[in-house]
Amino acid sequence: MVSLGIYEKALPKGITWLQRLQMAKKLGFDFVEMSIDETDERLARLEWTKEERREVVEAMYESGLRIFSICLSGHRRYPFGSADPKKREKALDMMQKAIDLAVDLGVRNIQLAGYDVYYEEKTLTSRAYFMENLQKAVHMAAEKQVMLSIEIMDDPFINSITKFNAIKRTIHSPWLQVYPDLGNISAWSGNDVGAELELGIDEIVACHVKDTLNVTENFPGKFKEVRFGAGDVDFLGCFKTLKRLNYNGTFMIEMWSETSEHPEEEIQKAKDYVLPFMREAGFHV
């Protein structure tokens, strides 16, 4: 059996963690991935008190469902590669606080967005700052035995496992791994998806599952909010490749329906679309 999770942003916004976990369990998921994005509201989670952290832990025990991972996309706002030293300092402070939060919640894996910078111009210097600060982040994580995993992104900086591996060769640590997004990795025309998964299998600790529209000469691609089945991802091919490679990590359906009128229905439709491909590939879910 492999574990199938759901992204927090698929579930209704404004409910308690107990309600969120109970809903995910009712829908048949094995875990939830928490979001700490660039909004003030979610960045505030890094400052949760002991009582607030305990409440989330108790919700996990009461619901019987865990939070396996944190999507720390707040670094888009405060990137490791920023030209602004204050933003770089903030990025490292966020990293330490996210690691400490993960320890307190029992979360195993923090997913980092593979951007040197997001809102700034990309330069050789932004890459150098990113690499320096990623090295520091990995040291922080290793001290607390928390995994950092870089997502393959909707951005050219790290849009393939090949590019992740180039970074991994300079940062030697078991606490830095890769978190491919099957939609993102498929959307880039230069990627041989099967070969990329083969190349990274020893470092893949989790996979995002979402549909995307491919990047072409005349189209920048669409990486978010593509309805499952309306995109270009060859899910059966991805799952069959991962099964052949004996991948046993988690899969997490990534979608954004937290403000939808009927989020449960949308989540169920996504699950009904994805699961037959997983089962045909040989995964027991």
Side-chain angles (χ1 to χ4, degrees):
M1 293 283 290
V2 295
S3 292
L4 181 67
I6 187 68
Y7 191 33
E8 176 193 341
K9 289 187 177 182
L11 300 161
K13 198 171 184 181
I15 60 177
T16 67
W17 271 103
L18 178 58
Q19 292 169 326
R20 189 172 288 122
L21 293 167
Q22 287 173 332
M23 181 179 293
K25 186 173 184 179
K26 184 179 78 169
L27 289 166
F29 291 98
D30 301 304
F31 69 94
V32 170
E33 181 165 284
M34 176 186 285
S35 168
I36 299 182
D37 62 20
E38 59 190 309
T39 63
D40 290 338
E41 176 187 2
R42 284 193 164 106
L43 285 175
R45 292 173 172 179
L46 298 175
E47 310 294 340
W48 271 345
T49 64
K50 285 185 178 180
E51 289 72 23
E52 289 171 312
R53 295 168 193 230
R54 185 181 298 113
E55 183 179 332
V56 176
V57 171
E58 289 173 352
M60 286 190 273
Y61 276 97
E62 184 172 342
S63 66
L65 206 72
R66 304 290 297 187
I67 300 169
F68 277 3
S69 50
I70 293 172
C71 175
L72 183 61
S73 56
H75 281 138
R76 295 209 314 183
R77 181 174 170 186
Y78 301 103
F80 283 154
S82 178
D84 183 344
K86 291 184 179 179
K87 287 186 178 180
R88 297 197 304 273
E89 183 180 352
K90 175 73 172 178
L92 288 172
D93 179 62
M94 286 168 50
M95 189 75 260
Q96 185 64 68
K97 288 177 177 177
I99 291 166
D100 291 340
L101 177 63
V103 170
D104 289 345
L105 299 182
V107 169
R108 298 165 170 81
N109 181 18
I110 298 176
Q111 177 233 297
L112 300 180
Y115 305 117
D116 55 344
V117 291
Y118 189 77
Y119 298 111
E120 301 175 34
E121 181 184 358
K122 295 176 182 296
T123 64
L124 181 59
T125 302
S126 67
R127 185 184 190 281
Y129 281 137
F130 173 85
M131 294 298 292
E132 289 172 10
N133 289 319
L134 179 62
Q135 179 80 69
K136 293 175 184 177
V138 172
H139 287 170
M140 293 176 189
E143 289 175 350
K144 300 294 180 71
Q145 294 193 351
V146 173
M147 184 69 69
L148 300 185
S149 53
I150 295 181
E151 184 182 8
I152 304 304
M153 299 305 300
D154 56 349
D155 177 274
F157 185 67
I158 304 178
N159 61 358
S160 67
I161 293 176
T162 298
K163 288 185 177 179
F164 165 78
N165 281 350
I167 290 171
K168 175 77 171 178
R169 282 195 295 271
T170 73
I171 300 177
H172 300 281
S173 173
W175 301 103
L176 178 65
Q177 302 294 350
V178 68
Y179 194 145
D181 182 307
L182 299 181
N184 291 349
I185 202 170
S186 297
W188 294 98
S189 59
N191 286 342
D192 179 336
V193 178
E196 287 289 313
L197 295 173
E198 291 166 355
L199 186 67
I201 190 59
D202 291 341
E203 288 79 34
I204 296 173
V205 293
C207 289
H208 276 172
V209 179
K210 76 172 185 213
D211 218 341
T212 51
L213 294 170
N214 289 349
V215 175
T216 68
E217 290 183 4
N218 304 312
F219 180 63
K222 186 174 182 183
F223 294 87
K224 289 181 66 174
E225 300 185 36
V226 176
R227 179 177 53 82
F228 280 93
D232 298 316
V233 177
D234 181 351
F235 286 107
L236 180 59
C238 289
F239 293 138
K240 282 181 72 67
T241 300
L242 288 165
K243 182 62 179 177
R244 174 173 56 81
L245 296 169
N246 200 31
Y247 173 74
N248 291 299
T250 60
F251 291 99
M252 199 280 294
I253 291 179
E254 186 175 32
M255 54 189 296
W256 295 265
S257 48
E258 65 181 356
T259 58
S260 167
E261 291 183 9
H262 306 288
E264 289 188 59
E265 292 179 17
E266 292 186 29
I267 293 167
Q268 190 62 54
K269 285 179 183 177
K271 191 179 176 192
D272 290 345
Y273 180 81
V274 168
L275 258 58
F277 292 122
M278 296 183 72
R279 288 172 178 148
E280 185 176 349
F283 286 106
H284 297 288
V285 286

